[in-house]
Amino acid sequence: GPIWSMVANGGGTRLAIGCEDGSVKLFQVVPGGIQFEKNLDRQKGRVLCLSWHPSGTHIAAGSIDFLRVLDVRSGRTVQRIMVNYHVPKPKKRECVVWSIAFLSSGTVVSSDSFGRVQFWDWERGTLLESHTVSTSAVLSLAVSEKEDSIVVGTSAGATYQFQLLPVKTGSQDKRWVRTKPFQHHTHDVRAVAHSPTALISGGLDAQLVIRPLMEKVQRKGYEAALRKFTFPHRRLVSCARKARLLLFQFSQHLELWRLGSTNETGKDGEVLPVCRMPEHLLQLKSKGPEHIYCSCVSPCGSWIAYCTASRFHLYRVQHEGDSVSIKKVPSVPKLLLPAYQLQCASDSGRLFVASDRGSVHVLQLLEPGGCKHLHTLRPPAGTAEAVYLLASSADGNWLAAVSGDWEIHIYSLKHFKHHCTVPTYSCAVTALAIHPVTNNLVIAYSDQQLFEFSIPEKQYTAWSRTVQNCGLHKAWLERDSPITHIAFNPKNPSHILLHDVYMFCVLDKSLPLPDDSAPLMNQSALKQLPETARQRQLHAFKICKKFQPLLFADLLEGNCLVAVERPVMDINAQLPPPVQQKKFGT
Amino acid sequence: YLLCASGDFVKMYSAATEELVRAMRGHADLVTGLQLNPHNRLQLYSSSLDGSIKLWDFTDGILIKTFTVGYKLLALYALASSEDSVFVIIPKSGERDTFQLVSVKLTKTAGQDTEAKELSVVLEGVDASPKCTAFGREGEYVASVKEVHLQIYFFKRKQLNRFSVSATNTKGGNNLFTCVACHPKEDCIATGHGDGKIRLWRNFHHNKEYTFSTLHWHHDIVMDLAFSIEGTSLLSGGVESVLVQWHNGSDCKKDFLPRLGSAIEYISISSDGTLYCTSHTDNRITIINSNLRFSKSIQGLIKARDVKTGLVVDPRTKALVLNGEPGHLQFYCLQSDKQLYSLDIVQQEYIHQAGLNQADLVKVAFSAQGKWLATVEEREEETDLELQLKLWFFDEETQSFKLNTRISMPHEDHITAMCFRDMDELEDDSLILVTAGRDCLFKVWVMLEDTDPEAQQSLSWSCDFVGSYHNYQATNCCFSEDGSVLAVSFEETVTVWDSSTWDLKCTFCHPPGKIRNICFGRLTCSKYLIGATDHGFLCCWNLLSCALEWSAHLNVVVLQPDPLSEHIAAVSWLSKESSLFVFKPNEPRPICIQRNLCKEKIRFAAFVPRDVPETIGSEKYLWLRRSQLYFLTDTQELMTFSTKSPEERLTLSSKQLAVEESLPVTPFSLLLGKHRQQSQGDIDHGKVVRNHHEQDSPAVKELLHTPAHVLPSASFLCPIFINSLLISKEKKSAEEVADEVEMESEKAEDDSDEEKDVTEMEQEDIKPMELVGEITHKLSKSEEKELRKIRKMDYSWISAF
C-alpha cells in the first residue's frame, strides 16, 4: 500500500519504510539501489512515522492512537503504547502520532494531533513527561545531535524548543522543559531540523526559517541573524535577450511569454503606455509526475530545454509571424542525469548541461531541430559533488562551473580543456557571470562578498583586491538574501548589475567604495542634492528597493531591463486558510 | 493567623473568622516588611522606615527585641539557612533613588534594645519594592530585577549573573520587570513584566546558555507572582483582578479566579499551602482556598477610583455611604470598620481597560427615613452623555434596596445636585426629589400611584415641575428643614421657591462669585440660608427679611450642616491647608476654629449622628455632642474630629481603633509587609496597607500604656497631657497630619442649654482679643488677622442693623 514514512538508520545501511497496512519493511542499502531485507511485525493501523534507536537495534513506529517499538533482529513488536489512554471514553477522538524520535537513553518522544509532546520509557511503556504545547496538532519533531534539545512544529505555525535541563544545579536529575516558542509561520510547520546552532523550520506557507540559538553562536555574524526564505535561491526564469522572450519554470509546466514594448520615453517614476501587450505564447506541460528541475531558453528564442529528475527534454520553437509552434527534438543523446543547470551559449549554438560528479555536458544544437553530444567537461581532480551553477562567456570561449564543494572550474571551450580553478572561498557561490568584454568572472558569495576574477590572467583583478582590502559596506554585508543574478551593462563595461530578492543594484566600478559612515542607500538623498554635492556623495553602489520580491532581472537589447516580481500576497492567497486562532484585542 | 503591615502597626487577623485579633504597635514609621522567624515559627520580624527591626512574639503580642539599624528599611527577608542574619533593602548613602540589598547580623545579646551595625552589601542597585527581590531554593541565590535587568547572586560561588531583556519587544509591548519569584524546589525564577508576560528562567547558572519560556495571559502589568509551596503551580495577579494559577509552568493549563473586585497588589501563600491571600489596591485582603474558591475577605473602607458621590449618611444604619467598587455603592459602618454591604447600582460588568469610559455613580441621596434612595450614574463619551436616575425602595423583607424607577436622561447635561424633601413627619406621598442640572433646569420628581393593576409595583416616580432661572446653569439645590421652601442656586444667584406652588419667592446674590454651596440653617436658625461663593465669601441671608444677614471672607470648599443641631461646619482651603470653622447661622462668629486640619484638600464632610449623645467637657466642642464630623480628603483618607480624652480612648480602644483603621490606602504607604507564619494549624499571611498617625510623645504613650484603674484622676493628668501635646506639636514633621485633634480647655463644663441662651449681643461684648488670646498659643498671626476681620465685619453689620 502507500508508503507513509521512511527513515534510514544512523549508519545509512538500512532503510525502514512504514506502510498503510501497518507493516514496517526493512531494506538493505546497496550501492545504486536498495534491496528488500524483511518484513517486521505487522499490526493494524498505518505507520505514520518511524525512528531508529541510535544503536540500530530498535525502531519506534507511530500510528493512529498508539506507538510501537520493534526489535529489528527478531522483527517482533516489543512494546505497544496507547497514547491517549488517559482520555475518557466518550470524548475519545482519533489521536494521530505525527512524529516520533527515539533517543539513545531509551526515551521515545512522540508528538500528536492533540498538541502534546510526550516522553515515554519504552521498556516499561510508561509516560515520563507530557507537555501540551498547543491546541492544534504537533506535526514535526527534531532532536539535536547531543540529544539535549528538541524542536517541534505545530499546525498553528509555531515552533517550540524543549531543553533537557538540570532541575537543580549540579544534580543529575534532569528534566525536559519547554523553553522558547517562536512564531514565524502562518501555516502548518511541516518539517523541522535542529542544527547545532539553529532551529530550521519549513511549512505550508512556503517559507523556510532559520532561527539561530543565540547561546550557541559564538560571534555576531551571518549565523546570528534570523533568516526567512520565501523563494529558492535558484533561477526560475530564463530570458531570451534577442527574441525578447521569457521562460517561467513552474513545478509541472513551463510558460513562454513574449514581452510587450513601448515606443514612448518618459521621466523617472512615470508609467509608460504599452503599445504591444505581453503575450502568452505557449505552455509546455511536462509528462509524468516528476517536477521540472531546471529549464532554459536560448538567447535567440528558438530552443527550449528542461530537465526532470530522470529525463532531459529539448524543444525547437518555430516562430511564424505571431504564431508559435513547437517540435520536440527526437533522439536526445543519453546523458548521465539528472541535470542541475542548463545554460545556452550566447550564440544559441551550444547547450551546457550541468550534471553529477562535477561534469558539464556540451551539446551542439543543430538546425533545423537536432542535437549532438560534443564533449563532457570534467574537473581534473574529480569531485563527487554536482555542478549547480554555470556561466558562459559572450565570445563563447569560456565556461565557468560551480560544483557543490564550492569550487569554480573554468574551462576553455575552444579546446574543451580545463583552464584554471578559482581559489576556493569558504562560502557557497550564489551567482556568477562572465563579463562580455573583459572576460572577467564576477562571483557573488552567500556571505555577500563580491569577487572579480580575470580568466585570461588566472587571478583576481585589481578592483577585486581593493574591494577585499577596503571591505564592503556594513549594510551590504548585513543584507538577508543572497545575490541571485549578475548581468552587465554592454554600454558601460564598468557597470555590474546585481539583484537579490529585495533589491536591484548597479555597481559602478569606476566610483569609490562607500565607507561605513556613509549611507549605503543614498539614491533618494542624492536626487535632492545640487550637482556638485552629488558628485562628492556618489559611491559605487546604486541600489533600488522599490520591487516587491524580485525573482529575476536582466538587460535586454536596446536599453531595456526586464524585472520579474512575485508578490508574496499572491502566494499567500493561494494557500489554504490557516488554523483559526483568537487573538486578544482583535 | 494572617499578619499584615498596616501603617505603623502590625495587625494580626484570624484567617478563620477574619476578625482583627491584635494590633502590635511599636514602630514609629511605616512598617515595610514582615517575616516569620525561620527558626521559631511563633516569632515575627518586622522592619520599618524608622530604621529598626523588631522581633515579636505574635501569639501574645509581646515585643521581644528591637534591633536598630539606622537606615530606612524598605524590605525585609529572612532565610532559614542564615542563622543569625536577615536581609534588608536600604537606600545607598550619598545617592538618591539607588538602593542596595544588605545582610544584617542580628547579635544575640540579652538586652531588649540592641544595635545591629554589622552590614554587608549583597547586591547593589536593586529596586526599592520588596516584590523585586526574591530568594531562591534553600537560600542558595538571590534574584533581583530592576527595569530591564535581572541579576542573580549565588552565595556559595559568590558569582553574579546579569541578564537583560530589550526594553520593548517587536510588538511594542514594554518588557520592564515588575516582580520576581523563585521556585522553592527547583532552580527556576519567574519574572513578571510590564506587558503582562511571565518569563520562567532556567539554567541561569550559565551566563550564556540560560533559557526562558514565556507565559502570557495578563494584558497589563503583572503585579505579583508567587509559587506554591511545592512549586507545582504559580500564581499571578494584575489589574484584571483575576488570580491566575499556572500548573507546571505550562502555557495551556491554567485556572482562574475572576472578579476579585480590584487590581491585585500582592499575593501570599500560607506555609502549609492551604490558603492563598491577595491584597488589593482598594484596601482589601482576600483569602482564597487552594482550590481557587473565594473564602473570606478582610475589608475596611474600599478605596474607590474617584469618590464622586460625596459622604452621605444612611439614616437607617448610620453608615457612611460612598462610591466603592466601580459601579457599586458601599455602606461602611464606622463603628466596626467593616463594609456592611455593597449595592450594585450600575449593574454592568466592569472591564479593566485603559481608556474605556464606563458608567459610574455620581450622585446619591437618601430620603429622611432611609426608605428611598436616589442614585445618578453617568457615562461620558467624547460627545454624548448617558445619564440614568434610579430610585430604589428599601424592601423590609429582604432588608435591601430594590430598584423602583429608572429614568434615563433625566437632564440633558450633568446633574449637579440632588436632594429629597427632608420631612420626617410627613407621609410617603409628599416625598419630593429635586435634581439640578447643567442644562439650566431643575426638575421636581414626585411619586405616583400606578392605576394599572397589571403593573408589578404600585408606585413610580415621574417629573412634576421643571424650573429655570434666566437660563443659568443650576448648580445646587436644598430644601429647608420644614420642606416649605426650596433653594436652587443658578451660577451667581440663589433662588428660593415655594415647594407647594413652585413660585419663585425671592433671589439672593453676592456678586461677583458664583455660588458653590448652599444650605439652610436648622432648628432655631431655620430662617437663615447659608451660601458659599467661589470668590471666597460665606454669606448668610435671612429668609424673613430677604436681606443679607452677614458675610465673611472665607474660601469655603465644603459646607455641611449638622442635621441634629444648628451648627454648620465649613471647611476652607487656604494656602495649601484645610481649616475647619464651625458656626451657627445666627451668629457670625465661629464657635470653633481648627486651623491646619490637614495638608490635603478636603473633598467632603459628613455629620454622623451619635447613638448616644456624648458628654462633652468643653464649650468649644459642644457642637460635637450629638454627631461626629467625618472628612474625606483628596487621597481618600477618612478622618474624624474627636474630643475624647486619652483615658476614654484607652477604655474604648477597640472602638477607637476601628475608626483609625478606616484610613484607606495611600500610594506612598503601599510598601508591603510579607510574612509567613505558622501556628497550630491556623495559618495565613497577608499584607495590608494603611495610614495611621500616632502621637509619639512619651507622655501620651505613658498614658496609653497604663491601665485605666491605676491612673490618677483626670484633672491631675490634664496639664501633663496638654503639655505633652504642645511638645508633640513641635515635633511633628511637615508631612504628619493630625487626624485626631484633642484639645481641652480648662474651663468648667457649661450646660449646653445655657450656651444657647447666650444672646448675640452678649457674645459681642466679649472682647475679641480675649477670645483670640484663649487659643493664641496655637494660632499664628495670620489667623489672628482673620479673626479680627471677622470681628470687624460683625460690627459693620450690627451698625447697619
Side-chain angles (χ1 to χ4, degrees), chain B residues 408-691:
Chain B
S408 60
M409 294 310 285
H411 283 263
E412 295 300 311
D413 208 339
H414 294 278
I415 289 182
T416 52
M418 176 166 69
C419 64
F420 276 100
R421 185 155 75 168
D422 259 347
M423 289 155 77
D424 300 354
E425 68 275 17
L426 283 179
E427 289 296 305
D428 237 13
D429 54 342
S430 72
L431 206 59
I432 290 174
L433 175 73
V434 175
T435 55
R438 242 185 254 169
D439 56 352
C440 309
L441 299 174
F442 75 91
K443 293 189 181 180
V444 180
W445 309 84
V446 293
M447 241 186 315
L448 284 183
E449 204 91 27
D450 209 324
T451 48
D452 188 357
E454 304 256 318
Q456 291 192 341
Q457 52 198 27
S458 57
L459 292 170
S460 68
W461 289 75
S462 68
C463 188
D464 182 51
F465 176 75
V466 178
S468 67
Y469 181 78
H470 289 292
N471 220 15
Y472 289 134
Q473 291 188 353
T475 53
N476 281 294
C477 61
C478 178
F479 272 103
S480 67
E481 197 188 11
D482 58 358
S484 58
V485 279
L486 164 74
V488 183
S489 68
F490 290 94
E491 296 189 0
E492 295 175 4
T493 318
V494 183
T495 56
V496 180
W497 307 72
D498 187 325
S499 69
S500 50
T501 58
W502 301 116
D503 288 334
L504 181 61
K505 286 291 180 198
C506 58
T507 61
F508 303 107
C509 69
H510 193 281
K514 291 184 181 172
I515 302 294
R516 197 183 271 164
N517 290 305
I518 50 169
C519 69
F520 280 96
R522 300 268 161 178
L523 305 175
T524 57
C525 303
S526 57
K527 61 180 174 182
Y528 297 106
L529 173 67
I530 317 291
T533 69
D534 58 2
H535 265 245
F537 277 97
L538 183 66
C539 310
C540 177
W541 293 285
N542 190 330
L543 290 170
L544 301 178
S545 63
C546 293
L548 181 70
E549 194 93 358
W550 52 267
S551 74
H553 193 72
L554 195 63
N555 182 25
V556 174
V557 287
V558 177
L559 195 64
Q560 186 66 39
D562 182 359
L564 300 178
S565 69
E566 307 83 340
H567 299 102
I568 293 176
V571 179
S572 77
W573 174 247
L574 255 182
S575 59
K576 298 249 165 25
E577 59 175 49
S578 295
S579 306
L580 172 75
F581 298 86
V582 181
F583 60 92
K584 284 186 185 179
N586 56 5
E587 51 193 88
R589 205 167 38 77
I591 294 167
C592 169
I593 302 173
Q594 180 56 47
R595 296 276 166 187
N596 198 1
L597 202 59
C598 68
K599 288 281 170 202
E600 287 147 302
K601 198 168 177 173
I602 286 177
R603 293 272 309 278
F604 305 104
F607 277 100
V608 180
R610 290 186 199 274
D611 296 334
V612 188
E614 195 100 343
T615 47
I616 302 286
S618 124
E619 177 191 11
K620 210 160 170 270
Y621 298 107
L622 218 55
W623 56 277
L624 283 171
R625 213 172 73 95
R626 301 196 61 189
S627 5
Q628 200 165 7
L629 185 60
Y630 286 87
F631 308 101
L632 195 73
T633 66
D634 262 349
T635 49
Q636 292 193 30
E637 284 183 59
L638 187 66
M639 300 184 175
T640 186
F641 208 79
S642 130
T643 61
K644 277 177 205 154
S645 66
E647 291 92 323
E648 284 172 307
R649 285 198 350 170
L650 202 70
T651 48
L652 296 169
S653 66
S654 66
K655 196 175 167 186
Q656 190 70 13
L657 212 67
V659 180
E660 283 160 2
E661 274 165 26
S662 63
L663 302 167
V665 182
T666 56
F668 73 89
S669 63
L670 288 178
L671 296 157
L672 98 154
K674 239 190 190 174
H675 25 63
R676 268 129 241 246
Q677 99 163 62
Q678 171 134 33
S679 96
Q680 293 111 30
D682 248 350
I683 307 108
D684 207 1
H685 359 165
K687 317 118 198 199
V688 146
V689 207
R690 202 187 48 73
N691 195 6

Side-chain angles (χ1 to χ4, degrees), chain A residues 401-402 405-410 418 420-429 432 441 443 445 451-455 457-461 464-465:
Chain A
V402 188
D405 51 4
W406 308 335
E407 279 199 11
I408 306 171
H409 297 284
I410 297 164
H418 183 257
C420 64
T421 306
V422 178
T424 13
Y425 186 68
S426 61
C427 274
V429 180
L432 80 170
L441 178 68
I443 311 154
Y445 287 98
F451 287 92
E452 195 184 36
F453 183 82
S454 169
I455 295 175
E457 290 167 28
K458 300 190 186 179
Q459 61 176 354
Y460 286 122
T461 61
S464 180
R465 286 173 207 279

Side-chain angles (χ1 to χ4, degrees), chain B residues 97 164 191 272 279 384-385 394 483 627 638 653 767 798:
Chain B
D97 298 331
S164 298
T191 58
D272 63 352
S279 90
D384 53 26
L385 177 77
F394 189 81
S627 5
L638 187 66
S653 66
K767 284 274 184 274
I798 280 166

